[in-house]
């Protein structure tokens, strides 16, 4: 524990409790994805659900994606007004959160090519997860004002991780968008970048974004959320790889799910 405290601001009871509350559902969701019970969007819309796709209340994927990212983006924007002068670390965290969700809105509008719809219940689940997590990230950082700074400063490595993550995530989303021509909806095996090594490199880089948040922040809340997100996206990527193997006879088995050569 004393070693851990060299990397973290001392957590309050509130931060410890909310960290556990943030972490647990993400791990459960990751295990559910691995077991075949999916959040209902993208290629998994109507898969692994007890309710038929036709009976679900749904939105177009573009509208749903923009909707689910917007509240978290606005939380980031409002944080500049709510906590205007609380140091460089807090400024970097607020900026990183806001930039990340603004990028996801822009990608949802102008980059992604969609093949289907998203169930409203899945959209609301993801929306609330991002909104609550973003608000807790920001508020947890606010609670560090006046606390002893961790002995080991991870802020600069965090900026590097965030930059690599957000760039790699965008690049692989761009590669995915190029798989379909205008109006096309069929799936193809992705190629290029890290797609030659893993099924979901965009998830890998998204994980790096959240670990960048954690390193910049150095709060227990951010580390627990980054770890929980890692487990969730590992589960989702495992399910995605299994889906590709079932749909394409020529999908290379050497391609892992999310982490090259490992998983």
């Amino acid at each position: 524990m004393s070693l851990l405290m060299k990397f973290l601001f001392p957590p309050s009871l509130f931060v410890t409790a909310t960290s556990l509350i943030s972490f647990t559902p993400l791990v459960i969701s990751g295990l559910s994805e691995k077991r075949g019970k999916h959040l209902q969007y993208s290629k998994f819309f109507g898969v692994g659900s007890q309710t038929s796709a036709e009976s679900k209340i749904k939105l177009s994927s573009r509208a749903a994606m923009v909707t689910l990212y917007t509240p978290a983006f606005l939380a980031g924007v409002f944080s500049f007004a709510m906590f205007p002068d609380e140091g460089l670390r807090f400024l970097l965290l607020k900026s990183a959160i806001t930039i990340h969700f603004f990028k996801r809105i822009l990608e949802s509008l102008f980059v992604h090519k969609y093949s289907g719809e998203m169930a409203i219940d899945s959209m609301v689940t993801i929306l609330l997860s991002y909104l609550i997590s973003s608000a807790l990230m920001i508020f947890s950082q606010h609670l560090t004002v006046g606390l002893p700074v961790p002995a080991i400063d991870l802020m600069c490595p965090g900026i590097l991780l965030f930059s690599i993550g957000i760039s790699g995530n965008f690049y692989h989303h761009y590669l995915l968008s190029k798989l379909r021509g205008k109006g096309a909806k069929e799936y193809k095996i992705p190629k290029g970048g890290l797609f030659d090594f893993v099924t979901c490199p965009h998830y890998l880089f998204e994980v790096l974004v959240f670990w960048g948040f954690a390193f910049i922040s150095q709060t227990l809340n951010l580390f627990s959320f980054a770890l929980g997100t890692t487990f969730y996206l590992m589960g989702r990527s495992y399910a995605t790889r299994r889906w590709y193997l079932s749909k394409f006879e020529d999908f290379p088995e050497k391609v892992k799910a999310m982490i090259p050569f490992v998983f």
Side-chain angles (χ1 to χ4, degrees):
M1 183 62 70
S2 60
L3 178 62
L4 186 62
M5 287 302 100
K6 292 183 178 180
F7 296 92
L8 296 177
F9 284 96
S12 65
L13 180 60
F14 171 81
V15 169
T16 303
T18 55
S19 298
L20 183 61
I21 292 169
S22 297
F23 175 75
T24 305
L26 287 166
V27 174
I28 292 171
S29 295
L31 290 172
S32 296
E33 292 285 347
K34 185 175 182 294
R35 293 167 180 165
K37 186 177 180 181
H38 308 292
L39 285 174
Q40 299 293 294
Y41 66 95
S42 186
K43 59 182 65 65
F44 295 114
F45 180 68
V47 177
S49 173
Q50 296 179 345
T51 307
S52 67
E54 291 75 17
S55 64
K56 286 181 175 293
I57 302 173
K58 46 194 177 284
L59 279 177
S60 72
S61 289
R62 177 173 281 107
M65 295 291 278
V66 171
T67 301
L68 68 86
Y69 288 119
T70 298
F73 164 67
L74 292 176
V77 171
F78 291 152
S79 69
F80 287 91
M82 294 176 65
F83 308 112
D85 299 305
E86 298 197 359
L88 177 61
R89 187 186 299 273
F90 201 177
L91 175 63
L92 289 170
L93 179 65
K94 291 185 293 186
S95 300
I97 291 171
T98 306
I99 289 168
H100 170 66
F101 287 109
F102 185 53
K103 164 190 163 290
R104 294 300 291 123
I105 291 170
L106 292 179
E107 286 177 335
S108 299
L109 285 170
F110 303 115
V111 176
H112 295 324
K113 304 286 180 63
Y114 300 99
S115 62
E117 297 166 308
M118 179 183 281
I120 290 283
D121 55 352
S122 291
M123 184 199 76
V124 171
T125 298
I126 300 170
L127 183 156
L128 290 175
S129 174
Y130 281 139
L131 174 60
I132 293 170
S133 298
S134 297
L136 287 175
M137 286 188 244
I138 291 164
F139 188 65
S140 295
Q141 198 66 39
H142 168 66
L143 294 179
T144 66
V145 175
L147 294 179
V149 176
I152 299 174
D153 190 349
L154 299 177
M155 188 166 63
C156 289
I159 296 169
L160 180 62
L161 272 178
F162 172 75
S163 301
I164 293 171
I166 201 166
S167 301
N169 181 255
F170 171 76
Y171 175 65
H172 288 90
H173 281 158
Y174 172 77
L175 291 180
L176 283 174
S177 74
K178 293 302 174 185
L179 289 175
R180 290 180 180 146
K182 188 175 181 179
K185 292 187 176 183
E186 75 279 4
Y187 280 93
K188 300 177 182 177
I189 299 174
K191 302 289 184 182
L194 290 186
F195 281 115
D196 296 332
F197 300 94
V198 292
T199 311
C200 299
H202 47 306
Y203 288 172
L204 172 63
F205 285 103
E206 186 164 359
V207 163
L208 292 184
V209 166
F210 284 101
W211 281 105
F213 291 167
F215 276 39
I216 292 169
S217 171
Q218 295 190 237
T219 63
L220 181 62
N221 186 283
L222 268 293
F223 272 88
S224 66
F225 186 72
L227 186 60
T229 300
T230 302
F231 280 119
Y232 169 67
L233 291 179
M234 287 178 71
R236 185 83 177 181
S237 65
Y238 179 91
T240 300
R241 180 179 183 274
R242 183 172 57 200
W243 184 89
Y244 274 108
L245 284 168
S246 71
K247 296 294 181 182
F248 298 96
E249 293 183 358
D250 57 340
F251 187 82
E253 290 204 24
K254 67 177 183 178
V255 173
K256 298 294 186 180
M258 193 176 87
I259 304 171
F261 312 112
V262 177
F263 176 84

